[in-house]
Amino acid sequence: MSDDVFGTAGIRERVLAGWSAAPVRFREDANAEEDLALGGYVDRLVIELAQNAADAALRAGVPGRVLFEFRGNTLVVANTGTPLSAEGVESLATLRASAKRDEVPPEADADGRGAVGRFGVGFSAVLAVSDEPVVLSRSGGVRFSKADTAAAIAAVGAPGLDTEVRRRDGKVPVLRLPFEAEGEPPTGYDTAVILPLRDEAAVALVDRLLAEAGDPLLLALPGLSRIEIETADGRRVLEEAESRWWIHRTAGTFDHHEREQLLADRPVEERSRPYYSILWALPRDPSTALPNVVQAPTPTEEALSLPALLLASFALDPTRRHVAKGPLTDRLVREAATAYAELLREHAQSTEHNVLQLVPTGLAAGVLDQALRDAILAVLPATPIVRAVEDGALLRPREAVVVEGSDDAFNRVLAPIVPGLIRSAREDRLALDALGVRRLELAEVVDQLGTAAADESPEWWSALYESLSGMVTDALLRESLGTLPVPLADGRLVRGARALLLPGPELPIDVLAEFGEYGVRVVHPAAVHPTLERLGAIPASPRSLLEDSAVRTAVEHSVDADDPEAIAHAVLSLVATDPAQAEGLWWLSDLVLRDADGELVPANALVVPGSDAEAVLDAEEVAPIDPAVVERYGLPALAAVGVLATLGTITASDVALDRLPEALKDLDGIEDWAYDVAPDGSRYGATVGELTAIRDLDWIKDDAWPRVLGILGTEPELRRALVTQVRVVGPDDRPLGVPSYSAWWIRERVLLEDGEPLAGRADPDADAVLAAFLDEAPEWTRGLDPEVRSAVGLVREVGDLDADGISLVLERLADPDHEIAESDLLRFWRQLGTLPLFPGDAPERVRVLGEDGWTEVVDAEAAVVADSPMWLQRTDLGGFVIASGAAADGLSDLLDVPLAQEVAEGKIDGTGTPADVPELVRELVPEVPPTWWEHEELTVDGAEVSWWVDADGAPHAATFDGLAKALAWSSARWDRRHVIRAVLNEPHRASELLTDASYD
């Protein structure tokens, strides 16, 4: 092929002649080529060469195949199709001209969509990577060269042209001067483009562009059926792209009127091609990456936010990067919107995919993208793309409706009653709003259900509640379901599940029906579902049914009811299923039942025949229950509603003493108890966490108390109600333990045969002094539990005395006819002085220490309280009441008797002689002072004593025995007085005493 088959020499001569004659044309050609190479085609190498290959295949009417072989620094692009021609060479060498100007290949469809390339300028993309491109074809070869072009210009010798080259730093157009080339394309191909790459940047660009090539390239170029890419990293084949995409194509030709209107502002060569094509494609594989730009039909820089591939024959501006504005683009935008709507309709029809994800929402990515989105959203509302829940048919969005917050399960139930209902996932909300789909508020639909589904069965309602099980976990949706209709056991349909009762399987149907007549709202058993509980319904255990206000009203007024036995049957049937469920429901005791005589009597006034309750309670107050009732419902159920087999209790929680609860109001004397136990005598602000009281104490027969107290001590619940102190918390939050109501009542109200209270009598195990001065308790109390005896007021020790008991003891203690040993009285004083209670009046006479180990009674004015042993030497002060510390102060206040130091100064007469305390004493008792004062005769306030400790703590003594006591008291070691005395009197025992002291 050494012949110049394409006439390249003639082309060069004409171009060089034109440049020489008018160098400005050289500048224009150089600038134009540079603009194309560095601007519109800088990174379009692969696309433009593939496009030329597709056009060649279409012209030849053969399947288009193209090979990109990238080895080292050379890229070879071979393709099938019409080989290079002289016209093609001239087109390559002529900027802005094309060999395809007037041709629409016969292989293209009627709308010309197969012809993609325009004007032949795309080949300039090779200049981005090469200065020496070569095109070899079966018909011949041609090459272009920057160096050879520069040499040809220099050879012309045109001064003006040389000047232009110098001004451009030697940069010349590459594609204006073709040269003949020798060579053949690879076997199996008709044409090959060979590009020696300019530098490393060119190598990197080619590598990137080849890596980016994919299905969009094949879809944009329908003339190509196969693209092979071979690089150092391996071989990749692109084919059958349409199998990996859902595709919708549309194309058309403009009529004469449309041409005049749409193409008036387009270049002449574009006006000669009055057809358009549009392709939308959705990847079948969701992980497929999309270019996110409009392809016209090759990639532009117009951003596309839609999740699809758009290939359309948009007119481009001179940069080939952006779509040109104008009426043609506006028309194609509308055509593209219609095509996109059809794509979504076809996609929705052929698959189960949710096409709402393909509806444009959010912000647009650019001006063209905004125009496309607006046009699409104008078309989609009238396009059937959303699927009806009821039968799966496709609906137009403007005819569809969604229920706000409804999920798929609820939608399936609603579908037959809400025409046009479609699903509404949270992620589809924006798309549905963009399509103008009508929204129904969930609360509105729920309100309409009462009418639309009024005749549905309870089973249907249960299925509805099942469908709501996923929605009721959302707090906001639960609010919307607040008026949800619910069928009741009595046949009514009510709105709202809150406070309705959900019956369990253990509840008899006839009982539920019976309660319905009294206003208890019980859900129909066939409609019961956990969803109702999430919406505020209450599981209808026997307890919840019994707690219903309607049941309480029926019970409390059962005596006046038309059929009280029906109420009794309903209540007792419930209680019988689990008697513990009635605990704390004190008002159940108002339920009227038949007694043995057939009379209607409240349950709390009935006793079981032959029981302890019948034996100890007044027959005027209680009656035996009808045995048939006992047989029918059982003793546990009857006891739970207040029928007594033994004494009963009643419990209340969070009791305010100034506002006693209704449950306690029937307890005899409860108000008086509250006053007596309230802190500082004021009930206001005082509370009790829990109060359990024995009921009906005022109905116990007078002669039954021995048996009653035995019962109270042996039955655990009754025992706790009696012996356990009640914790009262005052307004200052300080707790106080007080006697239980039951203990208080027995102490206050129970009288024995002698007319005197049981309380305050000496316990069978009482202290001897107390036993001597208190009335003796009946013999039968000896068999009672000690805690029970203490609770009912029997006195075992001084601490058990109340104020009245103290007054009684002090009164009898002052009776001179009683003889009391000194040791008993000393022990009694120690206990008495620590009591926190005081009688109203102090005694006029008191018992004091006497002679010979006995005691005597004196006027209170003639007695003093000695709180120190040294005062016992002052017989001039009067009779002594002895105690120390706080007990001394307590006795002084209790007896209204002064302390000794309050009636005598206790001042030592004289000074005495200081002397050292013996070393041995100090070794045995280190606390003693180092010095003591010796007196020949020691007097205090003129009274002679053997020892004393002055106000400064200094010991004074007149005898060895007195010194021992003075040292022991001054050192606060009164317990060591005998050891000190032994050391002082018998110094020779020092070693023995020291040895013994080592064990102290």
Side-chain angles (χ1 to χ4, degrees):
M1 295 185 181
S2 57
D3 296 337
D4 186 5
V5 295
F6 299 130
T8 59
I11 296 173
R12 291 197 300 275
E13 289 175 5
R14 291 191 296 273
V15 172
L16 289 171
W19 286 351
S20 299
V24 68
R25 293 185 61 186
F26 167 82
R27 187 193 315 158
E28 291 175 351
D29 287 348
N31 288 340
E33 184 177 283
E34 190 173 47
D35 286 344
L36 292 172
L38 300 180
Y41 290 90
V42 67
D43 57 359
R44 300 173 66 84
L45 173 68
V46 170
I47 293 169
E48 293 297 337
L49 293 180
Q51 178 176 304
N52 286 340
D55 292 340
L58 284 171
R59 287 193 296 272
V62 298
R65 292 185 297 109
V66 63
L67 167 67
F68 289 88
E69 185 177 17
F70 182 30
R71 294 282 189 269
N73 291 334
T74 301
L75 174 65
V76 177
V77 184
N79 63 271
T80 59
T82 301
L84 187 64
S85 64
E87 293 81 0
V89 172
E90 186 173 1
S91 175
L92 293 177
T94 306
L95 293 173
R96 308 182 190 88
S98 173
K100 300 176 280 187
R101 180 174 58 185
D102 298 321
E103 62 178 280
V104 177
E107 293 77 7
D109 58 32
D111 298 312
R113 67 176 176 86
V116 177
R118 297 178 183 174
F119 320 129
V121 295
F123 188 71
S124 61
V126 301
L127 298 179
V129 297
S130 179
D131 294 329
E132 307 287 334
V134 178
V135 182
L136 301 177
S137 187
R138 288 186 290 103
S139 56
V142 65
R143 67 182 180 83
F144 299 89
S145 170
K146 177 181 179 181
D148 289 349
T149 297
I153 293 172
V156 172
L161 185 57
D162 290 341
T163 300
E164 287 295 336
V165 172
R166 285 195 301 273
R167 286 176 178 174
R168 295 185 60 81
D169 294 330
K171 295 179 180 179
V172 298
V174 175
L175 298 182
R176 291 293 277 123
L177 302 183
F179 299 88
E180 63 272 17
E182 295 184 358
E184 294 284 341
T187 303
Y189 294 93
D190 297 310
T191 303
V193 177
I194 303 171
L195 301 176
L197 302 185
R198 181 185 302 117
D199 49 27
E200 290 300 321
V203 171
L205 177 60
V206 170
D207 191 57
R208 176 174 68 82
L209 294 176
L210 290 177
E212 292 174 353
D215 284 352
L217 186 60
L218 280 178
L219 295 174
L221 304 172
L224 293 182
S225 62
R226 179 183 176 91
I227 298 176
E228 297 180 45
I229 301 174
E230 295 184 4
T231 67
D233 294 330
R235 178 172 177 271
R236 190 158 59 96
V237 177
L238 303 177
E239 59 184 343
E240 298 180 352
E242 294 194 8
S243 66
R244 294 183 289 276
W245 298 74
W246 283 289
I247 296 172
H248 179 81
R249 286 189 175 92
T250 186
T253 302
F254 301 126
D255 60 25
H256 177 74
H257 175 72
E258 289 173 326
R259 292 183 194 183
E260 293 295 327
Q261 185 180 30
L262 301 177
L263 303 178
D265 62 343
R266 303 306 303 156
V268 173
E269 293 190 358
E270 282 192 51
R271 293 202 296 271
S272 67
R273 298 168 64 89
Y275 46 80
Y276 67 90
S277 64
I278 295 169
L279 178 145
W280 284 100
L282 295 171
R284 295 179 183 270
D285 181 356
S287 65
T288 301
L290 292 170
N292 297 322
V293 294
V294 173
Q295 311 217 48
T298 51
T300 68
E301 291 184 358
E302 298 287 357
L304 183 68
S305 63
L306 297 169
L309 178 67
L310 171 60
L311 307 171
S313 53
F314 283 109
L316 300 178
D317 66 8
T319 68
R320 308 290 293 169
R321 297 283 175 168
H322 294 282
V323 172
K325 297 180 180 178
L328 177 60
T329 294
D330 295 342
R331 169 65 179 273
L332 291 183
V333 164
R334 292 194 295 273
E335 296 292 342
T338 301
Y340 189 76
E342 280 300 300
L343 172 69
L344 266 57
R345 183 190 64 78
E346 294 168 359
H347 192 49
Q349 198 168 38
S350 61
T351 70
E352 293 297 325
H353 289 86
N354 179 16
V355 299
L356 292 176
Q357 298 173 0
L358 305 175
V359 174
T361 59
L363 299 176
V367 175
L368 181 61
D369 186 54
Q370 182 68 62
L372 283 167
R373 291 157 62 99
D374 291 345
I376 288 169
L377 290 176
V379 176
L380 283 180
T383 305
I385 59 171
V386 291
R387 199 171 296 279
V389 174
E390 185 174 17
D391 56 7
L394 289 179
L395 303 175
R396 297 177 178 86
R398 67 188 181 194
E399 299 169 352
V401 64
V402 297
V403 174
E404 191 73 46
S406 178
D407 62 12
D408 288 346
F410 191 43
N411 280 337
R412 286 192 292 272
V413 177
L414 290 179
I417 19 177
V418 181
L421 181 65
I422 63 173
R423 69 183 297 273
S424 173
R426 191 181 299 272
E427 62 271 17
D428 296 333
R429 183 181 185 88
L430 291 177
L432 293 170
D433 289 343
L435 294 173
V437 174
R438 186 164 61 98
R439 288 187 175 277
L440 291 178
E441 291 296 329
L442 181 60
E444 178 184 349
V445 174
V446 168
D447 281 340
Q448 295 174 1
L449 278 177
T451 302
D455 298 329
E456 297 291 349
S457 67
E459 289 77 11
W460 184 90
W461 286 103
S462 180
L464 174 73
Y465 305 145
E466 169 63 27
S467 72
L468 291 171
S469 58
M471 297 168 58
V472 292
T473 58
D474 187 309
L476 292 178
L477 294 183
R478 284 201 300 273
E479 289 296 323
S480 298
L481 294 169
T483 60
L484 184 69
V486 182
L488 300 185
D490 59 10
R492 289 180 294 159
L493 187 67
V494 298
R495 293 186 181 277
R498 186 170 299 280
L500 297 183
L501 300 179
L502 299 170
E506 77 281 5
L507 299 178
I509 296 299
D510 61 330
V511 171
L512 297 178
E514 186 67 37
F515 279 122
E517 294 184 12
Y518 296 100
V520 181
R521 304 200 306 166
V522 182
V523 176
H524 193 289
V528 170
H529 192 277
T531 292
L532 295 176
E533 186 174 354
R534 295 298 300 268
L535 293 174
I538 304 169
S541 63
R543 176 77 179 194
S544 60
L545 272 176
L546 293 171
E547 286 178 328
D548 191 277
S549 59
V551 174
R552 176 172 178 175
T553 301
V555 168
E556 291 178 334
H557 296 86
S558 58
V559 67
D560 300 318
D562 294 336
D563 190 357
E565 290 185 299
I567 300 176
H569 170 68
V571 171
L572 290 175
S573 296
L574 273 183
V575 174
T577 62
D578 183 5
Q581 297 286 315
E583 183 177 349
L585 303 181
W586 58 271
W587 42 266
L588 288 175
S589 61
D590 290 334
L591 182 69
V592 294
L593 305 172
R594 297 287 178 185
D595 67 7
D597 296 330
E599 298 294 329
L600 290 173
V601 179
N604 60 10
L606 291 170
V607 294
V608 176
S611 65
D612 286 339
E614 185 180 38
V616 302
L617 295 178
D618 190 341
E620 295 295 325
E621 303 290 349
V622 297
I625 191 170
D626 184 350
V629 177
V630 178
E631 183 178 354
R632 183 173 185 182
Y633 301 107
L635 284 177
L638 294 172
V641 299
V643 177
L644 297 175
T646 183
L647 295 178
T649 61
I650 190 163
T651 300
S653 299
D654 300 323
V655 176
L657 294 188
D658 58 333
R659 297 186 305 277
L660 293 173
E662 190 177 357
L664 304 178
K665 289 296 181 65
D666 289 339
L667 292 176
D668 181 60
I670 186 66
E671 296 280 352
D672 295 335
W673 171 82
Y675 276 114
D676 284 354
V677 302
D680 301 323
S682 174
R683 297 195 300 169
Y684 296 100
T687 60
V688 174
E690 182 175 82
L691 175 62
T692 299
I694 301 172
R695 47 172 277 211
D696 306 325
L697 292 174
D698 53 326
W699 288 357
I700 295 174
K701 294 183 288 189
D702 293 340
D703 59 356
W705 281 106
R707 181 171 181 174
V708 168
L709 293 180
I711 294 171
L712 299 185
T714 55
E715 295 191 14
E717 184 178 2
L718 297 173
R719 175 186 172 83
R720 284 193 298 271
L722 176 66
V723 305
T724 303
Q725 281 200 327
V726 174
R727 187 172 182 266
V728 176
V729 178
D732 56 359
D733 291 332
R734 287 189 299 177
L736 174 68
V738 302
S740 68
Y741 160 80
S742 307
W744 171 89
W745 194 95
I746 292 174
R747 294 181 183 188
E748 292 290 323
R749 307 294 172 90
V750 174
L751 304 177
L752 297 183
E753 292 180 358
D754 58 4
E756 295 297 326
L758 171 64
R761 296 174 182 258
D763 186 270
D765 298 327
D767 181 271
V769 175
L770 292 174
F773 292 110
L774 293 176
D775 294 337
E776 183 180 6
E779 182 59 27
W780 53 263
T781 61
R782 189 175 296 277
L784 298 178
D785 183 300
E787 282 190 287
V788 173
R789 299 200 303 256
S790 177
V792 300
L794 299 187
V795 180
R796 183 166 57 253
E797 55 190 29
V798 173
D800 294 334
L801 289 170
D802 58 14
D804 292 339
I806 293 173
S807 294
L808 178 63
V809 169
L810 292 179
E811 178 185 343
R812 294 182 176 178
L813 191 64
D815 185 352
D817 293 336
H818 284 86
E819 292 187 356
I820 300 177
E822 182 182 273
S823 59
D824 291 335
L825 186 60
L826 290 172
R827 183 172 65 254
F828 181 67
W829 276 336
R830 282 196 298 271
Q831 298 174 11
L832 197 62
T834 59
L835 291 180
L837 301 175
F838 296 94
D841 298 314
E844 296 180 357
R845 294 172 63 80
V846 297
R847 187 170 290 271
V848 297
L849 296 182
E851 298 178 355
D852 301 325
W854 291 96
T855 59
E856 60 185 6
V857 176
V858 300
D859 291 337
E861 293 84 356
V864 294
V865 176
D867 63 347
S868 166
M870 62 186 181
W871 288 107
L872 298 179
Q873 305 172 87
R874 296 289 302 276
T875 56
D876 59 309
L877 299 181
F880 291 116
V881 176
I882 296 178
S884 64
D889 292 331
L891 282 175
S892 176
D893 293 337
L894 178 66
L895 302 176
D896 197 17
V897 170
L899 293 169
Q901 59 264 38
E902 294 175 349
V903 298
E905 186 177 1
K907 182 178 180 180
I908 297 174
D909 302 321
T911 58
T913 302
D916 293 334
V917 174
E919 187 64 31
L920 182 56
V921 173
R922 297 182 60 190
E923 188 172 352
L924 284 171
V925 186
E927 295 88 351
V928 300
T931 304
W932 68 284
W933 276 260
E934 181 178 3
H935 294 260
E936 287 292 332
E937 181 180 4
L938 178 60
T939 60
V940 176
D941 299 331
E944 185 175 358
V945 296
S946 65
W947 66 279
W948 204 262
V949 176
D950 64 21
D952 295 327
H956 297 256
T959 65
F960 276 132
D961 182 60
L963 177 59
K965 292 181 179 180
L967 290 175
W969 189 255
S970 65
S971 63
R973 290 302 307 271
W974 186 247
D975 59 316
R976 303 291 282 169
R977 63 190 182 280
H978 301 299
V979 173
I980 296 173
R981 180 180 178 182
V983 170
L984 294 175
N985 286 335
E986 303 174 88
H988 61 278
R989 294 182 59 198
S991 176
E992 174 191 349
L993 295 172
L994 284 172
T995 301
D996 291 345
S998 64
Y999 293 101
D1000 289 347

